[in-house]
Amino acid sequence: MEITMENKEFNKNIAYKKAEKRVKEIKTYYYLVIGFLIVGYFLINKNYNGNLADIAKNYTVWMVILWGIFLAGYGIYLFVPFFNNWEERKTKELMNKQLKNK
């Protein structure tokens, strides 16, 4: 009986650590988005002259666009369950493979 209680406590600690890590990742993402909005606004406001034909020559605008694409990809990684859980699935797969080989 005591082993089961220790196992439950261990599982609770693991679940808590995973939840804590997830919250930290989401919080970091929100900080990145806020920074993108603030810095991107000032960069675009200072460097974009309103001419869409001239956007190809304006590398600062392209930098902000690529930064936005990166943030969108990171958001998909964080919030779409299929992409977020691949690390855990792969870890379990490799652990099972190791256990079978022993």
Side-chain angles (χ1 to χ4, degrees):
M1 183 85 176
E2 188 176 324
I3 295 171
T4 308
M5 293 296 279
E6 288 177 7
N7 195 13
K8 286 182 181 179
E9 284 296 317
F10 182 71
N11 288 339
K12 283 182 184 179
N13 285 340
I14 290 174
Y16 180 78
K17 293 291 183 184
K18 284 183 180 181
E20 191 175 47
K21 180 184 173 195
R22 174 95 171 124
V23 168
K24 186 176 180 181
E25 287 175 347
I26 292 171
K27 187 172 142 182
T28 301
Y29 177 73
Y30 288 144
Y31 285 143
L32 288 172
V33 169
I34 290 170
F36 168 73
L37 293 174
I38 293 169
V39 173
Y41 170 77
F42 286 114
L43 287 174
I44 296 292
N45 193 25
K46 181 172 173 68
N47 295 306
Y48 181 60
N49 61 6
N51 185 2
L52 283 176
D54 194 36
I55 196 170
K57 296 178 185 175
N58 199 342
Y59 300 110
T60 306
V61 175
W62 285 110
M63 180 187 69
V64 173
I65 291 170
L66 290 174
W67 189 10
I69 292 170
F70 165 77
L71 279 176
Y74 188 54
I76 289 170
Y77 169 75
L78 277 179
F79 297 113
V80 176
F82 176 76
F83 296 107
N84 187 29
N85 295 332
W86 77 268
E87 293 173 354
E88 188 173 332
R89 286 191 313 265
K90 192 64 174 179
T91 303
K92 286 180 182 178
E93 176 187 325
L94 292 173
M95 283 175 39
N96 289 337
K97 188 184 244 185
Q98 288 292 332
L99 289 174
K100 287 179 182 177
N101 288 337
K102 285 187 176 185

